[in-house]
Amino acid sequence: MATKAKPVAKSATPVAKKVAPAKKTAASAAPVAKPLAEKFNKSSLLAHLVAKTELDAKTVKTVLAHLENTVLSAVHKKGAGEFTLPGLFKVVATQVPATKKRFGKNPFTGVDQWFAAKPATVKVKVRPLKKLKDAAI
């Protein structure tokens, strides 16, 4: 036989719980992207990052060098074939197979012609992700 649960009596005065304000951590306090009017080359980007992060130039230069090396290693022919910088972009290396010499119609002029053979190649595509797309709007 099933028994009914006893109803819980409600108190006349509600008890307010004190909630401590949320502390901002380094991970949750992401910097807001502000428009920059200047174009960056390698040295100006380094100077900008040194100013914003308050780190020494040698450390920032090392981080940029390792990031560059990581991207190159990821898209290497023996690497993973893709690299993602979360929220910003995705780099993908795709293999394009070789094509044979063929006879066909030129779509622009309508004249029949021979199309030359092309060797196998690798295409590198950089695809923007959501944060980058939203920033460009």
Side-chain angles (χ1 to χ4, degrees):
M1 182 171 140
T3 59
K4 291 185 179 180
K6 294 181 182 179
V8 178
K10 293 183 180 178
S11 63
T13 57
V15 179
K17 293 183 181 179
K18 290 187 178 181
V19 178
K23 293 181 181 178
K24 290 186 178 181
T25 62
S28 66
V32 178
K34 294 180 182 176
L36 295 172
E38 60 185 297
K39 293 182 181 178
F40 290 114
N41 58 20
K42 191 173 182 178
S43 59
S44 64
L45 177 63
L46 181 70
H48 176 77
L49 291 176
V50 166
K52 290 293 182 179
T53 60
E54 299 175 359
L55 296 172
D56 59 316
K58 187 176 181 181
T59 305
V60 174
K61 190 180 272 189
T62 303
V63 170
L64 288 176
H66 284 290
L67 180 62
E68 177 185 348
N69 190 24
T70 303
V71 174
L72 295 176
S73 299
V75 297
H76 190 271
K77 66 180 177 180
K78 292 184 180 178
E82 68 179 46
F83 174 81
T84 303
L85 193 59
L88 293 179
F89 60 83
K90 184 175 192 174
V91 180
V92 179
T94 56
Q95 301 288 334
V96 179
T99 59
K100 296 179 180 178
K101 182 179 177 182
R102 64 183 177 85
F103 190 78
K105 187 176 186 180
N106 186 329
F108 299 106
T109 61
V111 178
D112 291 336
Q113 69 180 43
W114 282 97
F115 291 98
K118 294 181 184 176
T121 59
V122 176
K123 284 189 178 181
V124 178
K125 295 181 181 181
V126 180
R127 199 179 92 209
L129 298 179
K130 184 164 177 38
K131 283 184 188 176
L132 190 58
K133 286 181 186 177
D134 291 346
I137 294 177

